[in-house]
């Protein structure tokens, strides 16, 4: 069970950096449960599997949330867009700057203006202001692709 929790913790650290406080807190709580002799083995397993299921849900969902990022050396409030586990995008509250997490460099990169219209549409779909539809998003090429 401890190995399952360690694996989940490593997965979160290597994954897209979304809602890290919540996700790390979930793993920390699992560590506490594992250390509690008053919690039975079946209950420990149930809670670990629940955490794995929560992580699995992220892979097939579209969501927005507010966050604070360090961009260009200063803290900025942003609205995040998470597209499963394939894209993590931010925009500033004024909608003038968009950026995305680049998994290859593990850094945020600013996106060009020509992507803004499609990204605004993706935010509308995620916020349920538009019906679900095929989204055109600026995604980095998979690692190893030319």
């Amino acid at each position: 069970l401890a190995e399952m929790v360690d694996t989940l913790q490593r997965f979160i650290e290597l994954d897209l950096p979304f809602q890290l406080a919540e996700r790390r807190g979930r793993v920390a709580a699992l560590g506490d449960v594992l250390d509690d002799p008053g919690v039975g083995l079946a209950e420990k397993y149930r809670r670990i599997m629940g955490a794995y299921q929560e992580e699995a849900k992220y892979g097939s969902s579209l969501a927005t949330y507010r966050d604070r990022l360090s961009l260009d050396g200063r803290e900025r409030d942003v609205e995040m867009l998470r597209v499963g586990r394939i894209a993590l995008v931010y925009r500033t509250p004024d909608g003038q700057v968009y950026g995305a997490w680049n998994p290859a460099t593990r850094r945020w990169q600013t996106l060009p203006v020509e992507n803004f219209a499609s990204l605004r549409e993706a935010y509308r779909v995620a916020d349920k202001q538009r019906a679900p539809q095929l989204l055109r998003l600026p995604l980095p090429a998979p690692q190893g692709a030319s």
Side-chain angles (χ1 to χ4, degrees), residues 41-96:
L41 186 61
E43 178 62 15
K44 290 176 182 182
Y45 181 76
R46 186 191 70 74
R47 290 190 190 180
I48 291 169
M49 291 309 297
Y52 270 80
Q53 289 171 339
E54 285 298 312
E55 284 294 320
K57 287 178 191 176
Y58 292 129
S60 61
S61 61
L62 181 67
T64 60
Y65 62 95
R66 298 208 181 279
D67 205 348
R68 191 162 180 84
L69 298 179
S70 179
L71 302 168
D72 301 324
R74 64 182 194 158
E75 294 289 313
R76 299 192 67 177
D77 291 320
V78 294
E79 184 177 9
M80 303 297 296
L81 169 68
R82 183 185 48 75
V83 182
R85 285 200 150 80
I86 62 170
L88 188 58
V89 176
Y90 72 84
R91 72 175 171 191
T92 56
D94 62 7
Q96 298 300 308

Side-chain angles (χ1 to χ4, degrees), residues 1-12 15 18 23 26-27 30 34 44-60 85:
L1 294 179
E3 187 176 325
M4 290 176 73
V5 173
D6 289 342
T7 299
L8 184 60
Q9 182 176 16
R10 283 192 311 274
F11 176 80
I12 289 169
D15 196 18
F18 63 90
R23 296 167 71 205
R26 188 178 299 123
V27 170
L30 290 175
L34 287 181
K44 290 176 182 182
Y45 181 76
R46 186 191 70 74
R47 290 190 190 180
I48 291 169
M49 291 309 297
Y52 270 80
Q53 289 171 339
E54 285 298 312
E55 284 294 320
K57 287 178 191 176
Y58 292 129
S60 61
R85 285 200 150 80

